[in-house]
Amino acid sequence: MTALTLISKPDCHLCDVAREIVDSVVADLPEGQVDVEELSIADDPALYATWWEKIPVVLIDGDLHAHWRLSADRLRTALSAKATA
């Protein structure tokens, strides 16, 4: 299973857009293929220190996939590639 982590913060418009893209892309994939976790920089000082100026941030299996703006097509391609790897 692929782990996707969305790092966001409350009241963040770009985070809301990224969340919608993640939800849409994951919904189109086979069930159980991607485990999505959302973390907030407001809840974790270490996340804040690392990512505060780049949110929203999307990690795939712990590796940076995107920050600020998320492309649905690029995310779909990356998740599909992980499934076939």
Side-chain angles (χ1 to χ4, degrees):
M1 178 177 295
T2 302
L4 184 149
T5 306
L6 173 61
I7 301 172
S8 63
K9 73 173 186 174
D11 301 320
C12 168
H13 171 71
L14 289 177
C15 300
D16 294 339
V17 171
R19 188 177 305 107
E20 290 173 12
I21 291 170
V22 167
D23 289 346
S24 175
V25 169
V26 170
D28 290 342
L29 298 172
E31 190 172 331
Q33 182 174 325
V34 179
D35 180 37
V36 177
E37 177 181 29
E38 184 168 354
L39 303 174
S40 173
I41 63 169
D43 299 331
D44 186 327
L47 284 178
Y48 181 89
T50 303
W51 300 112
W52 70 273
E53 65 181 348
K54 294 186 178 183
I55 63 163
V57 174
V58 174
L59 307 175
I60 298 177
D61 289 338
D63 295 324
L64 179 63
H65 171 75
H67 60 84
W68 295 322
R69 303 237 182 236
L70 179 62
S71 161
D73 291 336
R74 185 169 173 260
L75 179 61
R76 188 175 293 107
T77 299
L79 293 175
S80 295
K82 284 283 187 177
T84 59

